[in-house]
Amino acid sequence: MRILFIGDVVGRSGRAIVNQRLPGLISDWKLDLVVLNGENSAGGFGITESIFREFIDNGVDVVTLGNHAWDQREALVFIERAPLLVRPLNYPKGTPGRGAAMIEAKNGARVLVINAMGRIFLDPLDDPFTAIDRELDMCALKRDADAILVDFHAEVTSEKQAMGHFLDGRVSVVVGTHTHVPTSDHQILSGGTAYQTDSGMTGDYDSVIGMVKDEPLSRFMRRIPSAKFEAATGPATLCGLAVETDDASGLATRVAPVRLGARLEEAVPHFWA
Amino acid sequence: MRILFIGDVVGRSGRAIVNQRLPGLISDWKLDLVVLNGENSAGGFGITESIFREFIDNGVDVVTLGNHAWDQREALVFIERAPLLVRPLNYPKGTPGRGAAMIEAKNGARVLVINAMGRIFLDPLDDPFTAIDRELDMCALKRDADAILVDFHAEVTSEKQAMGHFLDGRVSVVVGTHTHVPTSDHQILSGGTAYQTDSGMTGDYDSVIGMVKDEPLSRFMRRIPSAKFEAATGPATLCGLAVETDDASGLATRVAPVRLGARLEEAVPHFWA
Amino acid sequence: MRILFIGDVVGRSGRAIVNQRLPGLISDWKLDLVVLNGENSAGGFGITESIFREFIDNGVDVVTLGNHAWDQREALVFIERAPLLVRPLNYPKGTPGRGAAMIEAKNGARVLVINAMGRIFLDPLDDPFTAIDRELDMCALKRDADAILVDFHAEVTSEKQAMGHFLDGRVSVVVGTHTHVPTSDHQILSGGTAYQTDSGMTGDYDSVIGMVKDEPLSRFMRRIPSAKFEAATGPATLCGLAVETDDASGLATRVAPVRLGARLEEAVPHFWA
Amino acid sequence: MRILFIGDVVGRSGRAIVNQRLPGLISDWKLDLVVLNGENSAGGFGITESIFREFIDNGVDVVTLGNHAWDQREALVFIERAPLLVRPLNYPKGTPGRGAAMIEAKNGARVLVINAMGRIFLDPLDDPFTAIDRELDMCALKRDADAILVDFHAEVTSEKQAMGHFLDGRVSVVVGTHTHVPTSDHQILSGGTAYQTDSGMTGDYDSVIGMVKDEPLSRFMRRIPSAKFEAATGPATLCGLAVETDDASGLATRVAPVRLGARLEEAVPHFWA
Ligand SMILES: [Fe+2]
Ligand SMILES: [Fe+2]
Ligand SMILES: [Fe+2]
Ligand SMILES: [Fe+2]
Ligand SMILES: [Fe+2]
Ligand SMILES: [Fe+2]
Ligand SMILES: [Fe+2]
Ligand SMILES: [Fe+2]
């Protein structure tokens, strides 16, 4: 099974490259599943219903979120009628929406997509390790799902790598998001789970994590805000992770980074090209 | 001029690959300058004098540090007689050692190496932006140095990217360290500075940021220490950044990641191979 | 019912004043319940079994803990055989010991003592609000307990005040610990719960939060450790909170701070003197 | 010399009690100097010019600030023409306004008022210890000033106590602000400096640190904002510190907390009553 994960889409520039390139990638690479992190798709802050629908219309199967999930207040409402929009699982009980989605992939396979958030230097949500564990008790790889993808939205590399090892052999993919910079430590862990610490953002890399440089730089130096953060509008790099899983085991057989478009060195999965 | 930066060397496994491969790389790639971050070289925590000397004996020109600089207390002493060992510049006045080293590279060029530390989710040191600015006032690219390399040891990607843009055009290289995961956003910024958010560690990537997995995993789940952290001893990947600079301007003309050894996908600078 | 809570006892100096004064206070003030936070009683870091037993022998009914609970590793073991030693409730499932104790007070009343830990600028434990809520579902004031005391060990004042209001009317006392400085905002909240943001430490106030001044000061200025922290050994002030509850409702009728001994302005509950 | 410091005034309710009571206190207690922290005076967030002027008109000599200094953007502008408005000293060079004010007290004495901000769990400003040290080099007690007051705006008790001891004997008063809860550890340190970890806020104590309870409580439990924070409008307690200094030495001879108005136990300096 062929899975493409697309990292945090930032603003108009990030959306443009997704909408432009994704339909072609789906057919060229014969993708069975596309998951995309959309927490920054509305001008860098959150997601709106129309942006979400546009992603789905362009072939995304599930949209995941993160600490910016609720920056656009409407997400608290429309997430209830959007089963393909998934917010971090470890928000407290009673939070709108769901932290996991069981869907049918393009090839008819049963796929579980989980979104969870780390706690180190982020909001003190419920324990993501326990929360995912509980989810996997209810829905095990092979028994209940042909593939399981976890988008672990976290700040520090140690927490992300710990999650990778924690889930190794029990899910198909653990991919990190949130730092907006792609890492090159993609690998198949010893138990068969594809892993990458961060998929990177899909946005303009001539920026500070997707934002126009001036204000972030000014804040680091002056420690006083002088304007709002604005999503950078230069051409985006689409960043993500390509994973191929074994139909019998649901585990990963191949993993490669994806980087398409401006500035960053291009990377395409040679095994699909 | 050909520059190799090697990211945080972790423990015995990290040292082994450096000492084994570096002499060959220096001659094969005709390296003019080798800078290595050694903050985790002594069992994951700090650096000793004998480890430092071994790096120098194997061809390292300057060793940089970070938040683990003083984990081995002897470093507070021997750094005073080790001008090639550089600790973060923005420690308070009176801190042993120096935050920058002016050296003669293997090709006779004058090179300034600066080490500084970010403040977001790290110790509240002096402002690294101002501190580096002051250093560059005293030692400007071309006027006073043929190349300038900055190892910016920081946690968050935004602070690192902001530093890259802040120094763009004024230094040859800004390379990040500390997260122990290599990023694939290496690029030459618009002003001519080579940049990578993190060079990654040189250590065993079947680990949690270089440490044996069990204790970090246990702490994330149980929130109580049950043992000390130990450096993982599996085969290491040597991670770093290769930069070629223009002799006339001191700015970067080529940049590529380096990943050699176990587990991570190999990367060698094609322009030197 | 007469309740005395004693804040974080720090080291030998703190223990000395407790052991010296507490038996007299119990008889002079006709105390029905004494709860003491012991997280710093062993040289400033954690608690040993012999120190715990000495508190109990001197009239303490329940000892609570906090983020320093496990600094003395033996606590992980002996807490299992010490039902009067209570660690924060919101540690993950599987943590040794218990987060609440149901005991018989000196007057025969049924008392529930809960210890919980805040999460802001502290370890990301489980949600303390939810955890206490669940505990109170199982053991309600008047229905199941004649008095309920909550020691909320937290850093920031906002989280502590929020907890006070959250529990107002459902418990007899919410008293904060951890900052080692007594606050003078003791009051009976509108629902009848006695509240104080922090009871203060029981230790030497000619110090930095109970520790000999030199090393903390040196660390704030130099950002590098140069020695271990040592508990200050000057005469201690016993700090705490005095609460009188109504037998019919279990809610508070009177509240006053207690400060006895060196340096701080003395405070005794006039209604018991 | 008689000094009254008034802690963080929060919103309309806080301003009301100041404007109502301060003129009377100045004459009843024969105050020579009144310093007031105004960082939350505009609806809980920052200060406006008209609010600042009203404080001065009612007898305040100097207004200090903190991390909320710039919440009302106009403060960045009018602070330049308001020498009696002081922002934290350790903001980076180039920040509008000044971090210290040399003024003539009501009795004609020369008084230096310094405002500085801690860095633990707050913004990483410049080192406050070094910054104040430098200020005191230029303006020493007795040599250049008859009294020196430092408002140290910081989160953690350890940093505040360390500052107290650091300045002990060199300034008349070190008073903490920011936590919005008054502490009862007021004392004269061994070197003669009056000290209190936090003066508390001047606002409605039936609140969460001065804000209407609902939203803070909801955020602690749900981790998602649902509304803006609003300053609580119930009757305020005026909280602060009363210090009497020796004219010969400029050091403190008496210190007492001040709490006037609703909810908190009243405290007046007996030596002035
Ligand atoms: Fe994020
Ligand atoms: Fe993001
Ligand atoms: Fe580091
Ligand atoms: Fe490191
Ligand atoms: Fe404590
Ligand atoms: Fe504590
Ligand atoms: Fe503040
Ligand atoms: Fe404040």
Side-chain angles (χ1 to χ4, degrees), chain C residues 26-41:
Chain C
I26 291 171
S27 65
D28 292 354
W29 293 350
K30 301 182 180 47
L31 297 175
D32 299 311
L33 177 73
V34 178
V35 178
L36 171 155
N37 186 300
E39 71 147 5
N40 308 106
S41 53

Side-chain angles (χ1 to χ4, degrees), chain C residues 107-123:
Chain C
N107 63 342
R110 301 160 305 160
V111 178
L112 179 69
V113 174
I114 298 176
N115 186 203
M117 209 154 106
R119 300 195 291 184
I120 310 305
F121 307 140
L122 279 171
D123 218 27

Side-chain angles (χ1 to χ4, degrees), chain D residues 11-31:
Chain D
R12 182 178 304 274
S13 156
R15 295 190 327 256
I17 195 170
V18 168
N19 295 331
Q20 201 177 330
R21 301 293 302 268
L22 185 58
L25 295 178
I26 291 171
S27 64
D28 292 353
W29 293 350
K30 302 180 180 47
L31 297 175

Side-chain angles (χ1 to χ4, degrees), chain C residues 8 37 39-40 66-68 117 122 153 177-180:
Chain C
D8 310 40
N37 186 300
E39 71 147 5
N40 308 106
N67 56 314
H68 286 290
M117 209 154 106
L122 279 171
H153 197 80
T177 53
H178 178 67
T179 71
H180 288 202

